[in-house]
């Protein structure tokens, strides 16, 4: 999930980070350089549970401007091995 904040100042970012830390569905959160402000990996039982999570917890935050969801269709590769 990509998230855009209404502002990129410290107070706005801190408010979002504090809220996300309280949400067990968010298993990863990264501050991004580029198109979006934050990148989240969210785990939910199904798409309906995800939709409820997004509405109840993310888009209800006053600091959030926009959210874009991307659903992976197939895992091609996942590794923690480094090529060094």
């Amino acid at each position: 999930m990509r998230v855009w904040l209404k502002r990129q100042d410290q107070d706005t970012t801190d408010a979002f980070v504090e809220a996300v830390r309280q949400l067990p569905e968010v298993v990863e959160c990264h501050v991004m350089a580029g198109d979006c402000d934050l990148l989240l990996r969210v785990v939910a039982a199904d798409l309906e549970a995800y939709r409820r999570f997004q509405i109840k917890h993310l888009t209800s935050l006053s600091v959030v401007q926009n959210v874009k969801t991307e659903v992976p269709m197939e895992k091609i590769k996942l590794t923690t091995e480094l090529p060094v």
Side-chain angles (χ1 to χ4, degrees):
M1 161 187 301
R2 295 184 292 156
V3 177
W4 288 261
L5 300 177
K6 290 184 178 176
R7 299 176 53 135
Q8 288 76 33
D9 61 71
Q10 192 68 51
D11 290 340
T12 302
T13 303
D14 289 348
F16 182 83
V17 167
E18 183 59 33
V20 164
R21 285 188 173 141
Q22 306 303 313
L23 301 172
E25 296 90 346
V26 178
V27 296
E28 289 182 41
C29 178
H30 305 273
V31 175
M32 302 296 289
D35 184 43
C36 64
D37 297 316
L38 298 118
L39 180 66
L40 277 60
R41 186 162 64 107
V42 175
V43 175
D46 54 33
L47 286 176
E48 179 60 27
Y50 171 81
R51 187 186 72 77
R52 286 191 309 270
F53 166 80
Q54 181 178 332
I55 291 169
K56 183 177 180 183
H57 296 291
L58 289 182
T59 55
S60 66
L61 293 172
S62 64
V63 296
V64 172
Q65 178 177 326
N66 192 25
V67 171
K68 277 201 174 177
T69 298
E70 304 193 8
V71 178
M73 301 293 289
E74 178 182 0
K75 186 183 302 182
I76 303 299
K77 182 177 179 178
L78 177 64
T79 182
T80 57
E81 185 177 323
L82 300 175
V84 288

